[in-house]
Amino acid sequence: MEAVPGQTLVHLVQDTLYNLRNEDNPNLVYSSIVAFLLMVLLQRFYRHRAMLCYGMPVMTHPPQGRPWPFLGHALNFLSYRPWDLLMSWHNLYGPIVCFDLLGSTMFSLASPSLLKLVLQSKIQSVKKDISNTMKHFIVILGTGIVTSENQSWIKQRLKMSHPLRVEVLEMIPRQTLLAVQRWMTKLDAACETQESVEVGSSLRHLTLQVISGTFLSLSAEESDSTFAKMYLPIVDESNLRVWHPYRAYLFMLPVFWKYLWNVHNLNRYVSHLIRVRWLVRQQERINGGSVRTQDILDGVLKAHEKEFPHQMNLPEMAVRQFRDEMKTFMLAGHETSAAMMTWTLYELLANTALMQRVSEEGASLFARNVDWSRAGADELPSNDQLKHLILSEACLRVSLTAFATDLENRVSLYDVLTCPILKGIFEKILCRSNRCATNG
């Protein structure tokens, strides 16, 4: 009777496991030692190859400890704050640092001129770390401008440059004023009822209202009741997966499937908005014009109309691309702005003197005799006048650059004003803002 191939394989595995468990058989020990030595030699080969390829030595003896096989300097980053660790390396080795991290060769630049050279003149040589850095946000970023490279990135950048550089600057102030007025009403009501208001959550909704209104012409009610309920849980779970990567594999938990369901609903919702808007624009073209207010989505579709002339329905591939662009701008403008304003308010409320200075600076432009809860966009200060908000801009910039979003690694404003390096950054921001205001 012939043996079944599947049974033969099972017997082979069983025999192998039995031999490995046999205490009298030293093959397991010898094999483990040889395999470990081969892995170490392989890593050294790749490090030497990186030195030849990039023309610079890889750090092998930093003060914090030598790199481990395959882990690289990962243990150093777990033991020290990344900011302090990289700065110590730059002080020792110069403006460019090359190091190993979990099997990848990483670079750190501490020179603005070199960074400008890389991002402008040598952008074709830059490869984005999509599989690691953007892994947990790829469901939002998709194939948008943040994740695209080479010719795809250049094309998207050219298509998006005019709507983002010109049109968005005209729309954001009006949308922001309306959102702030709604928040003022909420804060006034909370003062009367003595209820607490969660500032972080409120600012996340506020920034999402501004961006969704500017890009998609969504009302504040629709942004909060529909868009935010799908989008914000995705961002929250993606942030959790950055710190706890194992959450991406917990398919046995309801949160795993809820995450996928929210992604599906968000994609379907945004795609529907794009299809409807494209159809509306084609109808307006046939009717000879439009009287409605245009938004950023209109600008994006207008930039691509020559690629789909006289088509009443967009191809599915184009819908997915525009959908990823819109979701990318939601993520890029929403989380950063909300966190920046949250930490700025938190620190200002803890520093009465600085809060008073910021309030006085704001009152110099936003007149106290104007009821800003009912004011229109035409009463807002001009762009040239806003350049005189020097201290306010400096506080926001420091929050953006020096503050982390997690409490354990966050730098306080006191640290900024007492630490020589951070204080220098703060003073440079003040000087730069002052110089820009002086030059108009």
Side-chain angles (χ1 to χ4, degrees), residues 271-287:
S271 298
H272 174 72
L273 293 177
I274 293 171
R275 293 191 186 96
V276 171
R277 182 66 59 82
W278 178 266
L279 186 60
V280 168
R281 289 185 59 81
Q282 300 310 306
Q283 292 290 348
E284 292 172 345
R285 177 181 56 81
I286 295 175
N287 297 334

Side-chain angles (χ1 to χ4, degrees), residues 214-268:
T214 302
F215 282 80
L216 300 173
S217 293
L218 298 183
S219 64
E221 292 74 21
E222 185 173 3
S223 176
D224 287 341
S225 62
T226 305
F227 195 85
K229 289 186 177 180
M230 295 179 289
Y231 171 78
L232 291 179
I234 297 174
V235 176
D236 291 337
E237 177 62 23
S238 298
N239 284 326
L240 288 173
R241 291 184 178 187
V242 172
W243 298 105
H244 310 284
Y246 59 84
R247 292 179 65 94
Y249 307 100
L250 299 179
F251 61 89
M252 72 291 295
L253 297 182
V255 67
F256 178 89
W257 300 104
K258 181 65 174 178
Y259 177 77
L260 295 180
W261 181 247
N262 286 329
V263 172
H264 170 74
N265 286 338
L266 180 63
N267 288 337
R268 186 175 59 179

Side-chain angles (χ1 to χ4, degrees), residues 11 32 71 87 92 110 116 120 141 144 149 161 181 189 214 226 235 244 246 262 265 267 280 286 314 411 435 439:
H11 292 320
S32 301
L71 291 177
M87 285 304 300
L92 288 175
K116 181 179 180 180
Q120 291 186 354
L141 300 175
E149 294 180 324
S161 60
Q181 288 174 343
T214 302
T226 305
V235 176
H244 310 284
Y246 59 84
N262 286 329
N265 286 338
N267 288 337
V280 168
I286 295 175
L314 273 174
V411 182
R435 184 167 61 252
N439 296 334

Side-chain angles (χ1 to χ4, degrees), residues 189-388:
C191 290
E192 294 180 359
T193 59
Q194 297 297 312
E195 296 180 358
S196 62
V197 175
E198 188 176 347
V199 174
S201 176
S202 298
L203 289 177
R204 293 184 78 195
H205 281 269
L206 184 148
T207 53
L208 196 58
Q209 291 171 9
V210 172
I211 297 173
S212 61
T214 302
F215 282 80
L216 300 173
S217 293
L218 298 183
S219 64
E221 292 74 21
E222 185 173 3
S223 176
D224 287 341
S225 62
T226 305
F227 195 85
K229 289 186 177 180
M230 295 179 289
Y231 171 78
L232 291 179
I234 297 174
V235 176
D236 291 337
E237 177 62 23
S238 298
N239 284 326
L240 288 173
R241 291 184 178 187
V242 172
W243 298 105
H244 310 284
Y246 59 84
R247 292 179 65 94
Y249 307 100
L250 299 179
F251 61 89
M252 72 291 295
L253 297 182
V255 67
F256 178 89
W257 300 104
K258 181 65 174 178
Y259 177 77
L260 295 180
W261 181 247
N262 286 329
V263 172
H264 170 74
N265 286 338
L266 180 63
N267 288 337
R268 186 175 59 179
Y269 177 73
V270 178
S271 298
H272 174 72
L273 293 177
I274 293 171
R275 293 191 186 96
V276 171
R277 182 66 59 82
W278 178 266
L279 186 60
V280 168
R281 289 185 59 81
Q282 300 310 306
Q283 292 290 348
E284 292 172 345
R285 177 181 56 81
I286 295 175
N287 297 334
S290 171
V291 295
R292 63 183 178 84
T293 302
Q294 304 283 302
D295 56 20
I296 300 301
L297 178 58
D298 284 303
V300 173
L301 296 179
K302 180 180 179 181
H304 290 82
E305 281 181 342
K306 292 183 179 180
E307 301 177 18
F308 314 101
H310 310 296
Q311 294 188 25
M312 295 301 293
N313 296 308
L314 273 174
E316 189 61 29
M317 182 178 296
V319 172
R320 288 197 298 266
Q321 182 62 43
F322 299 151
R323 178 199 69 195
D324 291 344
E325 296 288 5
M326 293 298 106
K327 292 193 302 177
T328 295
F329 294 128
M330 294 293 171
L331 179 65
H334 165 253
E335 283 295 296
T336 306
S337 300
M340 175 184 66
M341 291 189 294
T342 300
W343 288 120
T344 302
L345 282 176
Y346 177 84
E347 291 293 343
L348 288 177
L349 290 173
N351 192 318
T352 307
L354 189 58
M355 181 64 154
Q356 181 64 26
R357 292 174 58 191
V358 172
S359 300
E360 293 174 355
E361 185 181 63
S364 65
L365 287 184
F366 296 87
R368 296 184 183 274
N369 58 347
V370 176
D371 185 3
W372 290 104
S373 63
R374 295 182 176 84
D378 55 336
E379 299 183 70
L380 289 171
S382 64
N383 291 334
D384 292 334
Q385 292 175 320
L386 290 175
K387 292 179 181 179
H388 295 284

